[in-house]
Amino acid sequence: MTNIISMTTMCADVFVESGKMLAGGEALNFAANACKFPDVKVSIIGAIGDDDCGREVLRSIEGKPVDISDIHIIKGGKTASNHIYLTENGDRYFMENSWDGGVDETFSMNESDRKAVCGSDIVYMTCYCNSYKDVVSLKDRSDFKLAVDFDVRRDFDDIEKLLPDIDFFFISGSEDILPVFEKWSEKYDCIFNVTLAENGSVTYHKGRKHSCKAVPVSEVIDTTGCGDSYHAAFLCSYAAEGDIQKAMACGSASASETLSHIGGFEY
């Protein structure tokens, strides 16, 4: 059994055109997709408020095998929210004031959370997570693997300084940035995965390149959570079999399914 912790953002995704509100956020999207895999125990560390949005977060994973014991419910707190806009092709975009961080922005881990991290096999988070440094500091106390999503960051000089602590590196990009990761893979003992939207994905490890095509969909409904679902499937598959090519194929299939509906997962 692989113990995976997903951190930290849980929020309400508000789809402006339809007015529909769904639970989301990287930590929640990841956990809801990872829990589909056998031999994986997935839990979430993070914070929500005791408001309607927080209750929606909890409702979204009722009945799913996700450990919520480390979710902090802040009395009187405001759950994070994100206003999402969709193009005719289903691509999401945001306006200047789309994001309201709520209690997620002020969350910090307590000793119980740190103990859970140290007892895990894999910790998944984004590079923007405000607990990032705290989690990295715990690597001296434990041998968990750290998986980090760098989204669309391009400050590669700053990113490279973080690589010694990272075991799984995820980023969204295009083919022009691939040489960066090919070079890094020869220098750092890390798995570098680059998702390329409809052009599939590429992974570099120890200088070797692995490629995988995207799984086609008849219609892209919404790209929200597509990366989170890919990363969840990739990590769960790799943890089970240690096969990069199979993990990429699994990630592509999961991302394709997510593209076919509104929100990062179905509930």
Side-chain angles (χ1 to χ4, degrees), residues 25-224:
E26 294 90 353
L28 188 65
N29 292 339
F30 179 95
N33 284 283
C35 73
K36 300 175 184 177
F37 290 81
D39 299 323
V40 169
K41 177 190 175 185
V42 60
S43 57
I44 303 175
I45 294 178
I48 56 175
D50 60 352
D51 53 0
D52 288 341
C53 292
R55 285 187 281 273
E56 184 65 16
V57 166
L58 295 177
R59 188 182 78 82
S60 73
I61 48 178
E62 283 182 357
K64 296 183 186 297
V66 176
D67 185 346
I68 63 172
S69 61
D70 289 316
I71 293 179
H72 299 243
I73 303 174
I74 309 301
K75 186 175 182 180
K78 184 178 183 182
T79 303
S81 62
N82 203 12
H83 284 68
I84 297 174
Y85 301 80
L86 299 176
T87 68
E88 292 183 358
N89 295 325
D91 287 325
R92 67 173 182 170
Y93 66 97
F94 307 102
M95 304 294 279
E96 183 177 352
N97 297 317
S98 285
W99 175 249
D100 182 343
V103 296
D104 180 67
E105 291 191 347
T106 56
F107 171 77
S108 60
M109 294 194 298
N110 60 26
E111 193 55 37
S112 176
D113 299 325
R114 295 186 186 95
K115 183 177 179 180
V117 166
C118 290
S120 69
D121 298 304
I122 299 173
V123 175
Y124 173 83
M125 57 171 40
T126 74
C127 63
Y128 309 115
C129 178
N130 56 7
S131 296
Y132 185 91
K133 290 183 179 179
D134 200 355
V135 170
V136 168
S137 72
L138 296 173
K139 294 203 79 179
D140 290 335
R141 293 166 46 182
S142 180
D143 60 354
F144 66 87
K145 303 296 184 182
L146 181 59
V148 183
D149 175 19
F150 281 83
D151 192 29
V152 294
R153 278 184 61 175
R154 295 294 183 267
D155 52 333
F156 293 134
D157 288 342
D158 289 334
I159 289 174
E160 186 174 8
K161 297 173 185 176
L162 306 176
L163 296 182
D165 296 307
I166 298 174
D167 301 284
F168 298 94
F169 181 107
F170 296 106
I171 195 168
S172 300
S174 53
E175 293 186 359
D176 62 297
I177 67 172
L178 293 180
V180 173
F181 304 103
E182 181 176 22
K183 180 180 178 180
W184 283 353
S185 74
E186 296 172 349
K187 184 177 179 182
Y188 300 99
D189 188 17
C190 175
I191 292 176
F192 295 92
N193 175 269
V194 186
T195 49
L196 304 169
E198 69 275 9
N199 294 318
S201 57
V202 171
T203 300
Y204 291 100
H205 186 223
K206 296 183 178 180
R208 182 181 176 187
K209 180 180 180 181
H210 305 259
S211 300
C212 183
K213 293 182 178 179
V215 175
V217 294
S218 57
E219 181 183 8
V220 175
I221 303 299
D222 174 26
T223 59
T224 302

